[in-house]
Amino acid sequence: MSPLPDYRPKKLSLGPLEQEILEILWQLEGATVKQIHETILADPDRELAYSSVTTVLNRLEKKGWVTSCKQGRAFYWSPIVSRQEAKVLQSYQHFNQFLASSNPDIVAAFADHLDAASVEQIEAIATRLQALRQAREEKQ
């Protein structure tokens, strides 16, 4: 089980192009705008301006997902958050949004439509929550 990372980007939400560029950075383990642009344009059905890649990278940096450093005349961009950490953070965000928008009766109503594997997962979560609650009570 992956714990919630200590570092969290300022904004967790990502647009489709932001997500795509972040995926490229994870794959390449860092890259220049030119490398990212060439990777996207490797698909003959894609068109994207070089400046658009720069704009998206700047947005990702403001959101806290990537960092940059100047290497010669070009900037080199690196992800701050790993792919696994991003999955954990985004799952955490979705889970909190789900809980915030639902009451217990609505959440419980979904149980009628779950397959056996999902029910087992929820039972495992409930067991873990119960153990956490008991550990908290013992500390008090």
Side-chain angles (χ1 to χ4, degrees):
M1 178 174 158
S2 298
L4 205 54
D6 291 331
Y7 174 80
R8 295 182 192 154
K10 295 172 196 155
K11 281 194 162 185
L12 291 177
S13 62
L14 296 172
L17 188 54
E18 291 172 328
Q19 184 68 44
E20 180 181 6
I21 288 175
L22 198 52
E23 288 288 341
I24 292 168
L25 285 172
W26 285 324
Q27 179 184 5
L28 299 177
E29 298 179 359
T32 62
V33 175
K34 182 179 180 189
Q35 292 169 317
I36 295 166
H37 189 242
E38 288 173 351
T39 301
I40 292 170
L41 294 184
D43 178 350
D45 297 330
R46 288 292 299 272
E47 287 185 31
L48 184 66
Y50 183 92
S51 61
S52 296
V53 175
T54 303
T55 299
V56 171
L57 285 165
N58 284 319
R59 277 198 318 244
L60 285 169
E61 188 169 40
K62 285 179 185 165
K63 288 183 174 186
W65 285 93
V66 301
T67 188
S68 65
C69 65
K70 193 157 182 153
Q71 291 186 349
R73 294 182 353 160
F75 280 91
Y76 188 81
W77 298 84
S78 302
I80 297 172
V81 177
S82 72
R83 183 182 278 125
Q84 180 61 33
E85 289 170 329
K87 285 181 184 178
V88 170
L89 289 168
Q90 290 170 336
S91 296
Y92 177 75
Q93 178 188 23
H94 292 304
F95 184 67
N96 280 328
Q97 287 173 337
F98 174 71
L99 292 177
S101 63
S102 303
N103 68 41
D105 293 334
I106 294 172
V107 174
F110 285 115
D112 293 338
H113 304 285
L114 296 175
D115 59 20
S118 296
V119 170
E120 286 177 17
Q121 285 180 313
I122 289 175
E123 288 172 347
I125 291 168
T127 300
R128 174 126 172 127
L129 289 172
Q130 195 169 16
L132 288 170
R133 181 179 294 142
Q134 185 176 358
R136 285 184 190 150
E137 288 173 358
E138 289 173 2
K139 283 185 181 180
Q140 295 174 356

